[in-house]
Amino acid sequence: MAGLVRLQNEIERIKKEYFNRNRLAENNRQVENEAAIKIQSWFRGCQVRAYLSHLQRKATIIQKTWRGFKGRADFRQMAKAAYFIMKMNFYHKMSVRIQRRWRGYYVRKRIHNYYARKRYMEGLVRKNEQIRRDLDDYSEVQRREREKQALERIEREKNLQAQRLHFLLSTKQCPGIFNSPFRPGPDEMELRLRRTKPQPSTTSPRNRTSLLGNRSPLAHTSAGVPTALGAKPLPPIPSKKPQGPFREPAEVWAQRQRCLEPSLRVQTSITDLEQAREQLYSEMWRNRVVEARFQPFSKAHQNRKYEGLVHTSSSFQTVPYGSKHFREEHPENLQGKKGTICFSSS
Amino acid sequence: MSQRQVLQVFEQYQKARIQFVQTVAELATRPQNIETLQNAGVMSLLRPLLLDVVPTIQQTAALALGRLANYSDDLAEAVVKGDILPQLVYSLAEQNRFYKKAAAFVLRAVAKHSADLAQAVVDCGGLDALVICLEEFDPGVKEAAAWALGYIARHNAHLSQAVVDAGAVPLLVLCIQEPEVALKRIAASALSDISKHSPELAQTVVDSGSIAHLSQMILNPDAKLKRQVFSALSQISKHSVDLAEMVVEAEIFPSVLVCLRDPDEYVRKNVATLMREIARHTPELSQMIVNTGGVAAVIDYLGDCHGNVRLPGIMMLGYVAAHSENLSMAIIISKGVPQLAICLSSESEDHIKAATVWAFGQIGRHTPEHARAVAMANVLPKLLVLYMDTDSSEDLQIKAKKALKSVLQKCTYLPALEPLLYDAPSNILKHVIYQFSKVLPHDSKARRLFVTSGGLKKVQELKAEPGSALQEYINSINNCYPEEIVRFYSPGYSETLLERVDKYQPV
């Protein structure tokens, strides 16, 4: 209770005290708060800075490690590439060397082979010479032929001229115009006139059949007879009979002019029969309607019987021995012989 | 009046007609009568006579018409305008062979002049009638029909195609195989006319098997036939490689060369044309010709003839040389260059010169060796003269310039280049100097010779713009010589020396 009383006594003072302290606290609160904030801000600032610097250090470590790693990798890569490039250059150089050799070889061998070209050119020169020679020969031959033909033509024309001028040929009594007496020799035309025969007259109709040359003997006689009978050439003028055992000239002339009178045997061709047969066959062939040949009956040809000749009296015929039978048998000789047994008859 | 008297009137009339027609036909053979005949109205008088009852009169009238139409363009036009052609075409199928011949002659005479007139013949159905005539037995009729067909086909590809469409080609090929030389000749000429226009037409002619028959006639003794045969072969082979190869495969080759020595110059010309047309297609074909000795034969042929006949030979050499350096060398060793040089100097016509110049360009453009061969024939100064000559045609000048350029760019034969230094214009001189600048650094003898012959002096006298190609070439030439020499030869050196003398003060 005493305590309570003390407290009762004290309560006022405590109240005062309380208010005082509260007031003091209130008065100092602003300052303290600011100071606390200052302290806290300072501390936090320090803390964050320390953290940041810590982070920075760590980042630097990471970066430096990474960069070192990366740089080394890059360098390795670069070195590899450089090595590769160097290698490739070397290979290229070597391949160029190989290709150079090969191309040189190939071109010299196949495309521009100097020796082959030279050979070809030499061959060409030879070929050219040969063809020039051949062509020269050929043209020479042709030229000669043409000249020959021209000469022949001129000769023909001259001959024709000479034939037309045959009446200008000089005779023994009267020299022609080409045979001048004031010259040492006769003109060339004169010689030609002497050589050529006068042109046959073209007015008379030609005997066309005589040109053909292949007349049959029958045609010959039929053509020959009328001239021999109708238009006989004139007989020679009868002079005195020649000395010696000769016939009269008129008789000789008649004999000479007698036309040919061949016998029938001479007139007929020696192959007349064959020709006639051939003609017959050809006619048969032409007129035949059925192409298939006639076939005899199946065994008709086997049992053909021999027909004796008409003009002979002998009775030769085929002997059956050897084809029909092989043993000689004469049954008629055996007939009636003693000691034989006849099975055939009676 | 008796019956005889009545008939006599007709007889007289017929005689008069015959005489008239025959006289007109006779008169129409002379060109000086044509004008008078035309003025006298001969066309209108002849036309009814084509329908006469007497066949002789018909034929002679057709003959007279043909002769008139043959004479000139106007008269042919008059025949077309007079509606005579349908009548002729109609009777071409009906009448006897003499009349057919005469009618075909008229058609030919009309078709000969121009494409329009030939078209008129085609339009009135002349082709079918003529083709039927080709099947006739008589060679004279066939000849006349083939001739008319050839004249129709000659003008252009369209007409030629019409002839082909009418089915004439196989019959013409049959005509070639006939024994008559005149018919062969004209059939070959017609085939040539047909095949000259386009590859398709030529292919049609080839497809009917004409090449084998044509190639058989190469050695025929008849010159005119040979002309036509070679003309036909060249017209066929000019179009494409395939056709040319087909012609070559007919084994024409060594035997054709023989015809280069033919007495007839047109045969030779046509053979050379054939070889040109074959050679120009591919190097292989050219090589084949070279291997058979064709080049030597052509070169000899160039020596034998003159004028236009030479032209195909020259062009053939050019074409062969253009293909490859080997072929070009083959021409050089076949002694082609001197022969061409002779052609260049002896021919007077510009187009032949132009062809020769072109051939030189083709021969010399391959290697220095080729250029040397051309230069040694002393051709370069001639080319230069042709290029500089104001009288020569433009084409010739261009060709000469090109040839000079292509030869000079390869030429290392300095003695031939030297004369060009003095009289060449600057555009040619450029190439000459360039060649010197390439050769001189490597050849001491040539350097010495260049100085002694006055070339260096000439080079110093040249005015070149600084920085131009010519100046560069001159500089590289100057670099080959010591400076004193160059200065010694440069113009105005004596003046500078004298100036030095003036300025010199003796001590």
Side-chain angles (χ1 to χ4, degrees):
Chain A
M1 216 44 203
L4 191 61
V5 172
R6 216 177 357 205
L7 202 56
Q8 287 278 335
N9 296 337
E10 289 273 326
I11 209 153
E12 262 325 289
R13 200 194 41 93
I14 287 171
K15 272 184 186 172
K16 228 185 237 174
E17 184 89 27
Y18 176 73
F19 283 117
N20 278 342
R21 282 192 183 177
N22 265 355
R23 198 180 58 237
L24 195 67
E26 275 303 310
N27 287 344
N28 287 341
R29 188 204 287 284
Q30 184 77 24
V31 176
E32 279 170 3
N33 198 26
E34 276 173 8
I37 283 172
K38 198 171 254 177
I39 290 164
Q40 280 173 0
S41 72
W42 175 79
F43 180 74
R44 283 187 188 147
C46 281
Q47 201 179 12
V48 166
R49 267 190 292 276
Y51 183 62
L52 277 180
S53 71
H54 169 77
L55 277 184
Q56 219 139 32
R57 269 198 309 279
K58 294 303 149 200
T60 310
I61 288 168
I62 292 169
Q63 283 176 357
K64 120 182 139 193
T65 321
W66 169 247
R67 282 188 187 148
F69 170 75
K70 184 77 179 142
R72 276 185 289 279
D74 280 355
F75 176 73
R76 264 199 302 278
Q77 196 70 31
M78 209 173 67
K80 225 182 205 170
Y83 176 64
F84 181 75
I85 287 167
M86 199 179 76
K87 220 164 57 179
M88 283 318 284
N89 283 344
F90 178 73
Y91 289 157
H92 284 319
K93 216 160 87 185
M94 291 303 120
S95 65
V96 164
R97 208 176 269 182
I98 293 168
Q99 285 170 7
R100 192 166 65 196
R101 283 302 167 107
W102 163 246
R103 284 190 187 147
Y105 166 77
Y106 183 76
V107 164
R108 276 189 285 276
K109 181 90 181 166
R110 307 270 165 201
I111 295 171
H112 188 86
N113 190 342
Y114 175 76
Y115 295 102
R117 184 166 181 267
K118 197 170 156 190
R119 266 203 308 281
Y120 173 70
M121 291 299 171
E122 279 165 3
L124 193 62
V125 168
R126 274 200 303 279
K127 174 83 187 170
N128 282 347
E129 273 167 14
Q130 190 203 337
I131 203 112
R132 279 185 169 132
R133 217 167 34 238
D134 288 354
L135 287 181
D136 282 339
D137 291 350
Y138 179 79
S139 54
E140 181 63 26
V141 167
Q142 290 277 308
R143 195 183 54 79
R144 232 177 279 151
E145 205 148 285
R146 274 197 302 279
E147 277 175 5
K148 201 175 132 199
Q149 276 175 2
L151 275 182
E152 272 172 9
R153 203 177 51 243
I154 292 169
E155 186 73 6
R156 262 205 310 281
E157 274 165 14
K158 277 185 179 167
N159 276 344
L160 196 67
Q161 189 70 12
Q163 278 183 345
R164 284 181 187 145
L165 295 178
H166 69 96
F167 52 91
L168 292 176
L169 178 66
S170 56
T171 54
K172 200 169 183 181
Q173 278 76 27
C174 173
I177 58 164
F178 293 116
N179 192 8
S180 168
F182 306 111
R183 289 235 212 108
D187 194 75
E188 190 224 336
M189 196 60 173
E190 170 71 24
L191 300 175
R192 196 180 291 279
L193 283 176
R194 279 183 204 165
R195 273 206 307 280
T196 51
K197 287 175 185 164
Q199 218 170 6
S201 70
T202 49
T203 47
S204 66
R206 277 195 188 160
N207 191 359
R208 277 187 169 260
T209 49
S210 69
L211 285 177
L212 293 174
N214 52 351
R215 286 179 305 167
S216 67
L218 287 172
H220 175 84
T221 48
S222 60
V225 166
T227 52
L229 291 179
K232 242 182 188 173
L234 290 173
I237 299 159
S239 58
K240 64 176 184 179
K241 185 177 178 287
Q243 209 174 6
F246 298 125
R247 285 169 189 268
E248 284 292 316
E251 205 180 331
V252 173
W253 177 250
Q255 177 67 24
R256 262 184 74 186
Q257 293 299 322
R258 197 168 64 91
C259 73
L260 184 65
E261 290 164 353
S263 65
L264 184 65
R265 186 194 161 88
V266 172
Q267 272 184 34
T268 339
S269 161
I270 195 165
T271 55
D272 201 27
L273 190 62
E274 282 83 358
Q275 280 173 359
R277 202 172 290 151
E278 228 159 70
Q279 197 182 353
L280 186 71
Y281 283 146
S282 67
E283 219 157 83
M284 276 166 65
W285 182 82
R286 198 167 59 232
N287 298 337
R288 202 156 57 208
V289 180
V290 183
E291 281 293 323
R293 284 186 141 200
F294 174 72
Q295 295 293 341
F297 297 111
S298 59
K299 284 182 180 168
H301 64 285
Q302 283 179 11
N303 36 25
R304 222 171 13 199
K305 200 162 184 305
Y306 173 75
E307 288 173 17
L309 292 173
V310 182
H311 300 296
T312 56
S313 54
S314 71
S315 60
F316 291 119
Q317 51 185 332
T318 49
V319 186
Y321 172 73
S323 59
K324 297 270 170 46
H325 57 86
F326 299 95
R327 174 182 288 185
E328 236 174 327
E329 35 188 359
H330 300 284
E332 66 279 354
N333 293 353
L334 298 174
Q335 220 146 46
K337 271 214 169 171
K338 233 203 279 173
T340 54
I341 305 144
C342 189
F343 296 106
S344 58
S345 59
S346 65
Chain B
M1 270 200 166
S2 72
Q3 192 186 2
R4 199 173 67 85
Q5 277 167 320
V6 174
L7 286 178
Q8 203 171 11
V9 175
F10 285 93
E11 200 171 312
Q12 270 175 356
Y13 178 49
Q14 182 170 333
K15 270 185 189 160
R17 276 184 342 233
I18 289 179
Q19 200 196 354
F20 170 72
V21 163
Q22 276 175 351
T23 321
V24 167
E26 194 70 17
L27 288 174
T29 51
R30 294 168 182 258
Q32 66 264 31
N33 296 335
I34 303 275
E35 190 85 41
T36 327
L37 282 174
Q38 195 183 4
N39 292 340
V42 70
M43 282 292 170
S44 47
L45 288 176
L46 282 178
R47 194 185 158 206
L49 289 178
L50 278 177
L51 293 177
D52 204 282
V53 283
V54 186
T56 323
I57 296 175
Q58 291 182 1
Q59 286 155 26
T60 324
L63 190 67
L65 263 182
R67 281 176 184 165
L68 286 171
N70 202 13
Y71 176 69
S72 82
D73 207 350
D74 300 335
L75 283 164
E77 193 102 32
V79 170
V80 173
K81 280 195 184 137
D83 269 347
I84 292 172
L85 292 180
Q87 213 165 297
L88 281 169
V89 169
Y90 171 70
S91 48
L92 208 53
E94 303 287 309
Q95 300 277 358
N96 65 9
R97 60 203 172 98
F98 299 108
Y99 186 77
K100 280 184 181 176
K101 217 153 111 180
F105 171 58
V106 180
L107 292 183
R108 161 163 71 96
V110 171
K112 162 180 136 173
H113 294 290
S114 72
D116 295 337
L117 289 169
Q119 186 63 49
V121 172
V122 174
D123 288 342
C124 67
L127 281 180
D128 292 326
L130 286 171
V131 169
I132 290 167
C133 280
L134 278 182
E135 292 179 73
E136 189 81 4
F137 184 70
D138 184 46
V141 177
K142 278 198 253 192
E143 190 184 322
W147 209 336
L149 285 172
Y151 274 6
I152 291 172
R154 174 169 298 184
H155 294 292
N156 56 37
H158 175 65
L159 286 167
S160 199
Q161 186 65 49
V163 171
V164 170
D165 291 343
V169 173
L171 294 169
L172 286 172
V173 173
L174 281 180
C175 285
I176 290 183
Q177 305 167 45
E178 297 285 326
E180 290 81 14
V181 178
L183 180 55
K184 283 183 180 194
R185 214 184 274 166
I186 284 159
S189 144
L191 286 178
S192 159
D193 285 335
I194 290 172
S195 56
K196 78 178 173 186
H197 295 293
S198 74
E200 290 77 25
L201 291 166
Q203 187 64 49
T204 322
V205 172
V206 170
D207 286 344
S208 60
S210 56
I211 287 182
H213 299 297
L214 286 173
S215 61
Q216 276 171 4
M217 289 186 287
I218 283 175
L219 293 177
N220 199 296
D222 187 67
K224 283 181 183 161
L225 174 59
K226 275 196 280 189
R227 282 184 203 172
Q228 304 299 345
V229 165
F230 287 124
S231 147
L233 285 177
S234 54
Q235 298 289 11
I236 288 172
S237 56
K238 82 175 179 184
H239 294 291
S240 72
V241 182
D242 292 341
L243 291 168
E245 275 174 359
M246 287 177 90
V247 170
V248 169
E249 274 165 20
E251 309 246 317
I252 56 173
F253 249 92
S255 50
V256 163
L257 303 181
V258 162
C259 297
L260 280 176
R261 294 291 180 90
D262 205 86
D264 187 88
E265 67 174 8
Y266 287 101
V267 172
R268 281 185 275 165
K269 184 182 173 185
N270 287 353
V271 173
T273 314
L274 171 63
M275 291 174 74
R276 180 190 74 190
E277 300 299 353
I278 290 174
R280 70 174 204 179
H281 288 297
T282 62
E284 287 77 25
L285 286 169
S286 296
Q287 183 85 56
M288 193 272 309
I289 290 179
V290 169
N291 289 351
T292 52
V295 165
V298 167
I299 289 165
D300 284 1
Y301 147 82
L302 286 183
D304 290 343
C305 54
H306 296 282
N308 261 335
V309 185
R310 267 177 175 170
L311 187 64
I314 293 169
M315 288 177 74
M316 184 251 173
L317 291 184
Y319 278 128
V320 170
H323 283 307
S324 80
E325 59 106 11
N326 254 344
L327 292 169
S328 181
M329 193 38 109
I331 289 177
I332 290 169
I333 62 166
S334 312
K335 308 184 183 92
V337 175
Q339 188 62 59
L340 281 174
I342 291 170
C343 288
L344 189 61
S345 53
S346 66
E347 291 301 332
S348 56
E349 283 182 66
D350 269 359
H351 66 279
I352 300 176
K353 276 186 186 168
T356 319
V357 161
W358 171 77
F360 272 127
Q362 298 302 334
I363 291 172
R365 68 174 187 152
H366 296 285
T367 65
E369 212 180 333
H370 294 84
R372 184 189 171 88
V374 172
M376 276 172 66
N378 203 16
V379 172
L380 297 180
K382 284 180 201 159
L383 293 185
L384 188 64
V385 167
L386 285 178
Y387 172 53
M388 305 284 284
D389 193 358
T390 46
D391 292 341
S392 42
S393 66
E394 199 178 331
D395 180 51
L396 175 57
Q397 281 182 347
I398 292 171
K399 289 217 161 76
K401 188 188 166 191
K402 274 190 178 170
L404 260 180
K405 219 169 129 179
S406 55
V407 175
L408 282 179
Q409 279 171 352
K410 292 288 176 189
C411 187
T412 56
Y413 183 62
L414 299 185
L417 291 180
E418 196 102 24
L420 297 184
L421 274 180
Y422 300 100
D423 35 4
S426 65
N427 53 352
I428 301 291
L429 199 62
K430 187 170 66 185
H431 301 292
V432 179
I433 299 277
Y434 185 39
Q435 291 307 111
F436 274 110
S437 74
K438 279 194 286 190
V439 175
L440 288 180
H442 308 289
D443 191 347
S444 56
K445 276 183 193 166
R447 277 201 294 269
R448 186 186 163 79
L449 209 63
F450 189 59
V451 174
T452 51
S453 65
L456 189 61
K457 187 158 181 255
K458 174 67 194 164
V459 167
Q460 301 312 318
E461 284 163 9
L462 289 179
K463 285 194 189 73
E465 288 173 26
S468 66
L470 185 59
Q471 184 61 53
E472 253 177 52
Y473 303 148
I474 292 174
N475 286 345
S476 62
I477 290 178
N478 289 347
N479 287 340
C480 305
Y481 293 98
E483 207 175 334
E484 297 90 30
I485 305 271
V486 175
R487 231 185 292 151
F488 179 74
Y489 281 111
S490 39
Y493 181 63
S494 51
E495 274 93 65
T496 43
L497 277 185
L498 285 176
E499 258 177 45
R500 276 179 67 187
V501 169
D502 290 342
K503 282 179 187 167
Y504 189 69
Q505 296 292 331
V507 182

